[in-house]
Amino acid sequence: MEAPQNTKRTKASEPTLKRLPRYLHYLQKAQDKGILTISAPVIGKELQCDPTQVVKDLATTGVKGRPRIGYNIHELIQTIESFLGYNRANEAFLVGAGNLGMAMMSYPDFQRFGLKIVAAFDTNRDKIGRSRSGINILHMNKFQDLARRLQVRIAVLTVPHTVAQEVTDLLVASGIEAIWNLTPSQLQVPEHVIVQNTSMYANVTLLLKKLQEKDESESVQ
Amino acid sequence: MEAPQNTKRTKASEPTLKRLPRYLHYLQKAQDKGILTISAPVIGKELQCDPTQVVKDLATTGVKGRPRIGYNIHELIQTIESFLGYNRANEAFLVGAGNLGMAMMSYPDFQRFGLKIVAAFDTNRDKIGRSRSGINILHMNKFQDLARRLQVRIAVLTVPHTVAQEVTDLLVASGIEAIWNLTPSQLQVPEHVIVQNTSMYANVTLLLKKLQEKDESESVQ
DNA sequence: TAGATTGTTAATCGATTAACAATC
DNA sequence: TAGATTGTTAATCGATTAACAATC
């Protein structure tokens, strides 16, 4: 009957979702300085992006601003955090306690972004029983049982790419619903499982190609 | 006068550049199995993407296929590798030998993707003088001199985000032209400097948001 | 009131997808 | 020849950018 309070069902596009954390980071710094109100043009100037895009991005979170004045910075931060789900604590298991896995365990502040790594798994006997940043490393053969009992839905995958698919099959069989794939492998998963790929190789390719294109355009001129 | 051999100046879009390494990875596996010829529909089926998009992506590299038959797999691999610049060895300095930095030094095969990390830098006395995966860790105060003398143009940035900007200023002052930014910071750089951002926080946000949206759509039904 | 900023609607831009002709 | 696949051109889709009305 009534207008729902915070139930804007505008689903954000991927580019928007990537920009929102950047805004948030800047807004938190601004709030620390004691600023109470902020406008889209100011955000855009600081972050070097289009002010009308900032307005659009903010609108998808459902926050309301006031013409001429801007947004209440506290309300804005709250709304973005809530929209992005940062105030929940999604529990996750990390699989593969190698170099990258260890780095991810020590990575600061994931919890502030809604992700809590509650345990790590490996098959290397030397690593099992140790811990890193308060996260215990357990044997992989405990994964399935623990995932089910603790109802963990998210896995961070940092195993060697040679075993990425077989490990993935186990994750899926254990009821994992979302996989953050930090291996270069293209994972095969059932339709209901979400995969977020972060490929170092794709990123390095992009960087080098941009540099190459810059060189070419300069040599042409 | 003559038609240039390999000088298709089609500059690829970012999505295309992200897909090409995936194709390449699959093609190399297929070649190892002894396959000599491959068609876009086969690649699309295996990688679960649209075959016409595969055709378009491959066309941007300048490779020629034959109707009904497909592409010569050897020629295809060569062309993609050449197009992406994998046969060059772009030398890079890594800055920040912390957890993530160490992981990147140990990351396998960057060289196969055209990136060669030739030295690492840090300010922590305990780390300086040590090495990892054959890469020596030097004091940051040697960066500028070495970057200039070796004409290194690329930096991999894995420092704590609190010092990301000040380190970036030094990189730029040392003549670095391209920065692979693995910190969550939004770097301020002059226009001629290329930045490739790989933000763990943006990626984790995307994953959790996708999961959240899936939950919402299911609870609605 | 005047002017700046939000918020919405329209126009542009670019990438994906579809259609179809060329060709092996 | 018949049929599958490339390669190109057109249509669709979605995101960005621009335009403008509403409003503080």
Side-chain angles (χ1 to χ4, degrees):
Chain A
M1 272 77 135
E2 315 261 321
Q5 274 212 339
N6 209 0
T7 325
K8 275 266 178 186
R9 271 294 123 75
T10 27
K11 52 183 63 120
S13 70
E14 246 189 65
T16 298
L17 287 174
K18 281 185 186 168
R19 286 188 296 264
L20 284 172
R22 292 223 314 255
Y23 301 158
L24 191 57
H25 183 246
Y26 166 68
L27 292 169
Q28 282 160 340
K29 279 200 301 181
Q31 193 184 37
D32 288 346
K33 285 182 198 156
I35 296 169
L36 296 176
T37 298
I38 199 156
S39 73
V42 170
I43 298 173
K45 206 159 292 171
E46 186 66 26
L47 269 56
Q48 300 180 71
C49 54
D50 189 61
T52 80
Q53 184 162 71
V54 176
V55 171
K56 269 227 156 171
D57 287 340
L58 297 184
T60 62
T61 69
V63 75
K64 294 289 169 200
R66 297 197 302 178
R68 176 76 223 253
I69 288 149
Y71 306 85
N72 175 295
I73 202 164
H74 176 74
E75 186 189 336
L76 187 50
I77 289 171
Q78 290 295 319
T79 308
I80 296 176
E81 285 184 340
S82 157
F83 181 77
L84 294 177
Y86 286 177
N87 36 22
R88 321 183 187 191
N90 295 288
E91 298 193 330
F93 281 169
L94 182 141
V95 184
N99 293 303
L100 187 57
M102 291 289 197
M104 296 303 278
M105 285 187 241
S106 309
Y107 211 81
D109 290 333
F110 272 142
Q111 212 164 149
R112 277 187 41 224
F113 293 82
L115 188 83
K116 185 176 183 188
I117 299 175
V118 291
F121 297 84
D122 206 301
T123 52
N124 185 334
R125 297 245 158 245
D126 295 339
K127 287 171 184 163
I128 290 157
R130 295 180 56 198
S131 75
R132 178 69 162 268
S133 302
I135 300 163
N136 291 318
I137 303 172
L138 312 173
H139 194 282
M140 196 60 204
N141 62 21
K142 295 188 176 159
F143 185 93
Q144 187 152 32
D145 181 49
L146 278 172
R148 285 179 177 159
R149 274 168 42 198
L150 300 179
Q151 297 196 302
V152 170
R153 309 167 67 200
I154 302 165
V156 181
L157 190 65
T158 48
V159 299
H161 78 275
T162 44
V163 296
Q165 186 58 54
E166 71 179 271
V167 171
T168 296
D169 295 341
L170 174 64
L171 302 185
V172 171
S174 307
I176 290 293
E177 294 171 61
I179 299 172
W180 185 5
N181 176 28
L182 285 140
T183 82
S185 299
Q186 180 73 4
L187 305 179
Q188 310 286 328
V189 295
E191 210 174 334
H192 70 277
V193 175
I194 294 162
V195 175
Q196 173 66 31
N197 293 305
T198 302
S199 166
M200 296 299 167
Y201 296 141
N203 275 280
V204 80
T205 299
L206 274 177
L207 177 75
L208 297 180
K209 191 67 189 171
K210 282 181 198 165
L211 187 60
Q212 187 180 318
E213 277 175 1
K214 200 190 96 183
D215 289 346
E216 278 168 9
S217 72
E218 279 170 2
S219 70
V220 166
Q221 282 164 5
Chain B
M1 273 75 140
E2 316 261 321
Q5 274 212 337
N6 208 2
T7 325
K8 275 265 178 186
R9 271 294 124 77
T10 27
K11 53 183 63 119
S13 69
E14 244 189 68
T16 296
L17 287 173
K18 282 185 185 168
R19 285 189 296 265
L20 284 172
R22 293 224 315 257
Y23 301 157
L24 192 58
H25 183 245
Y26 166 69
L27 292 169
Q28 282 160 340
K29 279 201 301 181
Q31 193 183 36
D32 289 346
K33 286 182 197 155
I35 295 168
L36 296 176
T37 298
I38 198 155
S39 74
V42 170
I43 297 173
K45 206 159 290 170
E46 187 65 27
L47 269 55
Q48 299 180 70
C49 54
D50 189 63
T52 79
Q53 184 162 70
V54 176
V55 171
K56 268 226 155 169
D57 287 341
L58 298 184
T60 63
T61 69
V63 75
K64 294 288 169 201
R66 298 198 302 178
R68 177 75 221 255
I69 288 149
Y71 306 84
N72 175 295
I73 203 164
H74 176 73
E75 186 189 338
L76 187 49
I77 289 172
Q78 290 296 319
T79 308
I80 297 177
E81 285 185 339
S82 157
F83 181 77
L84 294 177
Y86 286 177
N87 34 23
R88 321 183 186 192
N90 294 288
E91 298 193 330
F93 280 169
L94 183 140
V95 185
N99 293 303
L100 187 56
M102 291 289 196
M104 296 303 279
M105 285 188 240
S106 309
Y107 212 81
D109 289 334
F110 271 141
Q111 210 162 153
R112 277 187 42 225
F113 293 82
L115 188 83
K116 184 175 184 188
I117 300 175
V118 291
F121 297 84
D122 206 301
T123 53
N124 185 334
R125 296 246 160 244
D126 296 339
K127 286 171 183 163
I128 290 157
R130 294 180 55 199
S131 76
R132 179 68 161 268
S133 302
I135 300 164
N136 291 320
I137 303 172
L138 312 173
H139 194 282
M140 196 60 205
N141 61 22
K142 294 189 177 160
F143 185 93
Q144 188 151 31
D145 181 50
L146 277 172
R148 285 179 177 159
R149 275 169 42 200
L150 300 179
Q151 297 196 302
V152 170
R153 309 166 68 199
I154 303 166
V156 181
L157 190 66
T158 48
V159 299
H161 78 276
T162 44
V163 296
Q165 186 58 54
E166 71 179 272
V167 171
T168 296
D169 295 341
L170 174 64
L171 303 185
V172 171
S174 307
I176 291 293
E177 293 170 62
I179 299 172
W180 185 5
N181 175 28
L182 286 139
T183 81
S185 300
Q186 180 73 6
L187 305 179
Q188 311 285 330
V189 295
E191 210 174 335
H192 70 276
V193 175
I194 293 163
V195 175
Q196 173 67 31
N197 293 304
T198 301
S199 166
M200 297 298 167
Y201 296 142
N203 275 279
V204 79
T205 299
L206 274 178
L207 178 75
L208 298 179
K209 191 67 188 170
K210 282 182 197 164
L211 187 59
Q212 186 179 319
E213 277 175 1
K214 199 191 96 183
D215 289 347
E216 278 168 9
S217 73
E218 279 170 3
S219 70
V220 166
Q221 282 165 5

